[in-house]
Amino acid sequence: MQFLLMLIIVPSFALVGISGYQNSNDANTIAKVGGLVITQQEWEQAQRQQIDRYRQILGEQFDQKMFDTPEAKQGILDSLIAERALGVEVVRSHLTVSDLALQQEIAQIPGLLTAEGKFDFERYKGLLAAQGMTPEMYDARLRRDMAMQQLSNAIQGSAFAPKAVTSRLSDIRDQEREVQELMLPVAQFVAKVKVSDDMVKDFYEKNGKFFEISEQAKIEYVILDNAAVGEQVNVSDADVSAYYAANAQRFTAPETRRVSHILIAVNTDASAAEKAAAKVKAEAVLAEVRRAPGDFARIAKEQSQDPASAELGGDLDVIEKGALPKSMEDAAYGLKQGQISDLVASDFGFHILTVTELKAVSVKPLQEVKLAITDDLKKQKMAKKYSELAELFTNTVYEQADSLKPVADKLKLKIATVDNLARQPVPALGTAPFNNAKFLQAVFGDEALKNKRNTEAIEVAPNTLIAGRVLEFKPASVRPLAEVDAMIRQAVTQEQALKLAKEAGLAKLATLKASGDAAGFGAGKLVSRRNAQGVNSLVMSELMKADVSKLPAYVGVDMPGQGYGIYRIGKVQQPAQLDVARRKSEQEQIANVVAQQEMFGYVEALKQKAKVKIVKPVAGANGAAHTGAM
């Protein structure tokens, strides 16, 4: 049902899916496009829709913070503006969609055809009504979107990428270069470095932030969560029995019937003679089935004129009420397992039915479902108990703010401690309740630090409250030079050794460029943008943009932490065999990029033409660059 609603409510073409092309003088107007307005409410609806779409796509990885940035908020407004500009152009260009095209588009929505292949208009109206829309409203909206899609297709369809360009780009990606390496490792130069006290002191003064120790606190805290509440909730056998009796239907499996049929087809508008002939044939098949009921599947494969089920021996699977025409349904529910029906007439022709599997109504015994019921009841009681305890927890923490013991005693909670807690969450601590940003803000706030009071009760996860109290506090400080001297000497040594490696490498590189010598280099390997052969990405970038008009070519690369690498390019070639399928795919990708760029440029031109004006920026978005007429 949700899938059907999404297909109906989300238009076939919409940059954000917001309609509403009425003029308005509403004070909530945030932008005007060609005399039409975009309101704050429309922007908020567009944002909600975008958030819901990404929540469904990303699942557990969804993070709503990605939509709280000024760029994300402005992006939604820009999409609304682009949609309005396209809508204005559709009206100006008198683009229309015929009634027939509109009907065909609606008919393609899955789930709106009956078993007989007819459009279920009542269901269509019901789905729209659930979203506060009428068929007329949706038709107008879809007609507009289809017209906008026509305009979009016309622009993007006119774009193309010349084959010479796509071939050249593919050649660049495929190009292979034979490379040899000569490495000057940093370790080779460490012994040449002499670190003085002045160098150490200078490094310490210039890089003081590396030696800062952030403020830290030792705290105690109490947590009210499901685990704590669960210890105070019990479910008795009497509770389970009462629930089982009151919800018997939940544990009752209804009767199921698996049905097979043989169809002798006849059209509803067939002549009386044609109908009579079909009935005679159906009676003959029925007689054959009655003689050998065990051969029903074989006879169905040979005689049934329902292609889909005939291949399956006439099997229609387990049927549900309303899934078959009424005459077939009545007959199917009147049969016992293995019994053969009389001829059953429907709009499709004549049917012969049999029930291949019948499962009677069954009730799960109490012992089988006792654990599940106990679990459900405990969750219900815990939810109610949590609400009661949460209020008591919050009030006690606030009213007796000089200690956590009163709330721990009253609610039977444990007081825990944690040391070296920083102001910002630490990724290594994960989702620990005391590692929550909001809780840490309270811990390092004036009430907790200066006034020595409990923090307020803070919800750090669903059904999880925490309150804390500072026991010890260490302000931010800088580690003394003597404590970090050895570490600094090591860093300076590495830094100076890298400089020496680079100096030696540059000198060697100049000599090699003059001589073309290959002595000292390792074995050659063919690398390309598609296959780096394990070569460092930083090195690959330099290798592939090196000038190879004259070979051999030499490239020097400063490699942080490793030393200095010199690379000799001795050969440049295309692969012996080209991947035709991949090149065709790349050509399509490039053409798509060009089409999107064409569409972007066209929309920008429409925005200029429509004299877009930002009346006021979206809350939290930096709209300064978009303010005024466009």
Side-chain angles (χ1 to χ4, degrees), residues 97-109 112-113 119 121 124 138-140 142-143 146:
V97 174
S98 67
D99 292 341
L100 178 60
L102 184 68
Q103 292 169 6
Q104 291 174 340
E105 184 72 17
I106 294 174
Q108 291 178 8
I109 299 175
L112 292 182
L113 295 181
F119 185 76
F121 189 70
Y124 174 61
Y138 180 67
D139 288 356
L142 183 58
R143 194 187 298 273
M146 290 175 67

Short mmCIF file of all heavy atoms in Angstrom, two decimals, residues 97-109 112-113 119 121 124 138-140 142-143 146:
data_model
loop_
_atom_site.label_atom_id
_atom_site.label_comp_id
_atom_site.label_asym_id
_atom_site.label_seq_id
_atom_site.Cartn_x
_atom_site.Cartn_y
_atom_site.Cartn_z
N VAL A 97 -0.91 17.82 -22.63
CA VAL A 97 -0.90 16.35 -22.65
C VAL A 97 -2.32 15.90 -22.93
O VAL A 97 -3.27 16.37 -22.28
CB VAL A 97 -0.41 15.79 -21.30
CG1 VAL A 97 -0.55 14.27 -21.27
CG2 VAL A 97 1.04 16.18 -21.05
N SER A 98 -2.50 15.01 -23.90
CA SER A 98 -3.85 14.58 -24.28
C SER A 98 -4.48 13.73 -23.18
O SER A 98 -3.78 13.15 -22.33
CB SER A 98 -3.79 13.76 -25.58
OG SER A 98 -3.11 12.53 -25.35
N ASP A 99 -5.81 13.66 -23.22
CA ASP A 99 -6.53 12.83 -22.25
C ASP A 99 -6.11 11.38 -22.37
O ASP A 99 -5.97 10.67 -21.36
CB ASP A 99 -8.03 12.96 -22.45
CG ASP A 99 -8.55 14.35 -22.08
OD1 ASP A 99 -7.82 15.06 -21.35
OD2 ASP A 99 -9.65 14.72 -22.51
N LEU A 100 -5.90 10.90 -23.61
CA LEU A 100 -5.52 9.51 -23.83
C LEU A 100 -4.17 9.21 -23.20
O LEU A 100 -3.99 8.20 -22.51
CB LEU A 100 -5.48 9.20 -25.33
CG LEU A 100 -5.04 7.77 -25.70
CD1 LEU A 100 -5.99 6.75 -25.08
CD2 LEU A 100 -4.98 7.61 -27.22
N ALA A 101 -3.19 10.11 -23.39
CA ALA A 101 -1.86 9.91 -22.81
C ALA A 101 -1.93 9.91 -21.29
O ALA A 101 -1.24 9.12 -20.62
CB ALA A 101 -0.90 11.00 -23.30
N LEU A 102 -2.78 10.80 -20.75
CA LEU A 102 -2.94 10.86 -19.30
C LEU A 102 -3.53 9.56 -18.76
O LEU A 102 -3.06 9.00 -17.77
CB LEU A 102 -3.83 12.04 -18.92
CG LEU A 102 -4.02 12.31 -17.42
CD1 LEU A 102 -2.71 12.78 -16.81
CD2 LEU A 102 -5.11 13.34 -17.20
N GLN A 103 -4.57 9.05 -19.43
CA GLN A 103 -5.20 7.80 -19.00
C GLN A 103 -4.22 6.64 -19.06
O GLN A 103 -4.18 5.78 -18.17
CB GLN A 103 -6.42 7.52 -19.88
CG GLN A 103 -7.56 8.52 -19.69
CD GLN A 103 -8.64 8.39 -20.75
OE1 GLN A 103 -8.59 7.49 -21.58
NE2 GLN A 103 -9.61 9.31 -20.73
N GLN A 104 -3.42 6.60 -20.12
CA GLN A 104 -2.44 5.51 -20.26
C GLN A 104 -1.40 5.57 -19.15
O GLN A 104 -0.97 4.53 -18.64
CB GLN A 104 -1.77 5.59 -21.63
CG GLN A 104 -2.70 5.26 -22.80
CD GLN A 104 -2.05 5.48 -24.15
OE1 GLN A 104 -1.06 6.21 -24.28
NE2 GLN A 104 -2.60 4.85 -25.18
N GLU A 105 -0.99 6.77 -18.78
CA GLU A 105 0.00 6.93 -17.71
C GLU A 105 -0.56 6.43 -16.38
O GLU A 105 0.11 5.71 -15.63
CB GLU A 105 0.41 8.39 -17.60
CG GLU A 105 1.51 8.68 -16.59
CD GLU A 105 2.87 8.20 -17.04
OE1 GLU A 105 3.05 7.94 -18.24
OE2 GLU A 105 3.76 8.09 -16.18
N ILE A 106 -1.80 6.80 -16.08
CA ILE A 106 -2.42 6.38 -14.82
C ILE A 106 -2.64 4.87 -14.81
O ILE A 106 -2.44 4.20 -13.79
CB ILE A 106 -3.75 7.13 -14.61
CG1 ILE A 106 -3.49 8.63 -14.40
CG2 ILE A 106 -4.51 6.56 -13.41
CD1 ILE A 106 -4.73 9.48 -14.33
N ALA A 107 -3.04 4.31 -15.97
CA ALA A 107 -3.32 2.88 -16.05
C ALA A 107 -2.07 2.04 -15.80
O ALA A 107 -2.17 0.86 -15.46
CB ALA A 107 -3.91 2.54 -17.42
N GLN A 108 -0.88 2.63 -15.96
CA GLN A 108 0.36 1.88 -15.77
C GLN A 108 0.76 1.77 -14.30
O GLN A 108 1.71 1.07 -13.97
CB GLN A 108 1.49 2.55 -16.55
CG GLN A 108 1.35 2.42 -18.06
CD GLN A 108 2.45 3.13 -18.82
OE1 GLN A 108 3.41 3.62 -18.22
NE2 GLN A 108 2.31 3.21 -20.14
N ILE A 109 0.05 2.46 -13.41
CA ILE A 109 0.37 2.37 -11.98
C ILE A 109 0.03 0.97 -11.50
O ILE A 109 -1.10 0.52 -11.61
CB ILE A 109 -0.43 3.41 -11.17
CG1 ILE A 109 -0.07 4.83 -11.64
CG2 ILE A 109 -0.15 3.26 -9.68
CD1 ILE A 109 -0.91 5.91 -10.98
N LEU A 112 -3.60 -1.25 -9.73
CA LEU A 112 -4.89 -0.59 -9.95
C LEU A 112 -5.75 -1.33 -10.99
O LEU A 112 -6.75 -0.79 -11.43
CB LEU A 112 -4.70 0.86 -10.36
CG LEU A 112 -4.13 1.78 -9.27
CD1 LEU A 112 -4.01 3.20 -9.78
CD2 LEU A 112 -5.00 1.74 -8.03
N LEU A 113 -5.33 -2.53 -11.38
CA LEU A 113 -6.12 -3.34 -12.30
C LEU A 113 -6.74 -4.50 -11.53
O LEU A 113 -6.09 -5.11 -10.67
CB LEU A 113 -5.25 -3.87 -13.44
CG LEU A 113 -4.66 -2.82 -14.40
CD1 LEU A 113 -3.84 -3.51 -15.49
CD2 LEU A 113 -5.75 -1.97 -15.02
N PHE A 119 -9.60 -1.36 -14.91
CA PHE A 119 -9.09 -0.32 -14.01
C PHE A 119 -10.02 -0.18 -12.81
O PHE A 119 -11.23 0.01 -12.98
CB PHE A 119 -8.98 1.01 -14.76
CG PHE A 119 -8.35 2.11 -13.94
CD1 PHE A 119 -6.98 2.13 -13.71
CD2 PHE A 119 -9.13 3.12 -13.38
CE1 PHE A 119 -6.40 3.13 -12.96
CE2 PHE A 119 -8.55 4.12 -12.61
CZ PHE A 119 -7.18 4.12 -12.42
N PHE A 121 -11.33 1.99 -10.44
CA PHE A 121 -11.45 3.42 -10.19
C PHE A 121 -11.73 3.71 -8.72
O PHE A 121 -11.25 4.72 -8.19
CB PHE A 121 -12.56 4.00 -11.06
CG PHE A 121 -12.61 5.52 -11.02
CD1 PHE A 121 -11.61 6.28 -11.61
CD2 PHE A 121 -13.65 6.18 -10.36
CE1 PHE A 121 -11.64 7.66 -11.56
CE2 PHE A 121 -13.68 7.56 -10.32
CZ PHE A 121 -12.67 8.31 -10.92
N TYR A 124 -8.53 3.56 -6.87
CA TYR A 124 -7.77 4.76 -7.28
C TYR A 124 -8.23 5.97 -6.47
O TYR A 124 -7.42 6.72 -5.90
CB TYR A 124 -7.98 4.97 -8.77
CG TYR A 124 -7.39 6.23 -9.35
CD1 TYR A 124 -6.02 6.48 -9.30
CD2 TYR A 124 -8.20 7.17 -9.99
CE1 TYR A 124 -5.48 7.63 -9.86
CE2 TYR A 124 -7.67 8.31 -10.56
CZ TYR A 124 -6.31 8.53 -10.48
OH TYR A 124 -5.77 9.67 -11.04
N TYR A 138 -5.34 15.20 -8.89
CA TYR A 138 -4.19 14.42 -9.30
C TYR A 138 -3.99 14.46 -10.82
O TYR A 138 -2.87 14.53 -11.32
CB TYR A 138 -4.33 12.98 -8.83
CG TYR A 138 -3.14 12.12 -9.23
CD1 TYR A 138 -1.89 12.35 -8.67
CD2 TYR A 138 -3.28 11.10 -10.17
CE1 TYR A 138 -0.79 11.59 -9.04
CE2 TYR A 138 -2.19 10.33 -10.54
CZ TYR A 138 -0.95 10.58 -9.97
OH TYR A 138 0.13 9.83 -10.35
N ASP A 139 -5.11 14.41 -11.57
CA ASP A 139 -5.02 14.48 -13.03
C ASP A 139 -4.33 15.76 -13.47
O ASP A 139 -3.46 15.75 -14.35
CB ASP A 139 -6.41 14.40 -13.64
CG ASP A 139 -7.03 13.01 -13.52
OD1 ASP A 139 -6.31 12.11 -13.02
OD2 ASP A 139 -8.19 12.83 -13.90
N ALA A 140 -4.73 16.88 -12.85
CA ALA A 140 -4.13 18.17 -13.21
C ALA A 140 -2.65 18.19 -12.88
O ALA A 140 -1.81 18.68 -13.66
CB ALA A 140 -4.85 19.30 -12.48
N LEU A 142 -0.60 15.53 -12.55
CA LEU A 142 0.13 14.60 -13.41
C LEU A 142 0.25 15.15 -14.83
O LEU A 142 1.29 15.01 -15.48
CB LEU A 142 -0.58 13.25 -13.43
CG LEU A 142 0.09 12.14 -14.24
CD1 LEU A 142 1.51 11.90 -13.73
CD2 LEU A 142 -0.71 10.85 -14.18
N ARG A 143 -0.82 15.82 -15.31
CA ARG A 143 -0.77 16.41 -16.65
C ARG A 143 0.34 17.46 -16.73
O ARG A 143 1.10 17.52 -17.70
CB ARG A 143 -2.12 17.03 -16.98
CG ARG A 143 -2.30 17.38 -18.47
CD ARG A 143 -3.59 18.16 -18.68
NE ARG A 143 -4.77 17.40 -18.33
CZ ARG A 143 -5.41 16.58 -19.18
NH1 ARG A 143 -4.97 16.43 -20.41
NH2 ARG A 143 -6.48 15.94 -18.78
N MET A 146 3.76 15.67 -16.69
CA MET A 146 4.07 15.03 -17.97
C MET A 146 4.49 16.06 -19.01
O MET A 146 5.38 15.81 -19.84
CB MET A 146 2.85 14.24 -18.46
CG MET A 146 2.56 12.99 -17.62
SD MET A 146 1.03 12.15 -18.12
CE MET A 146 1.51 11.57 -19.76
#
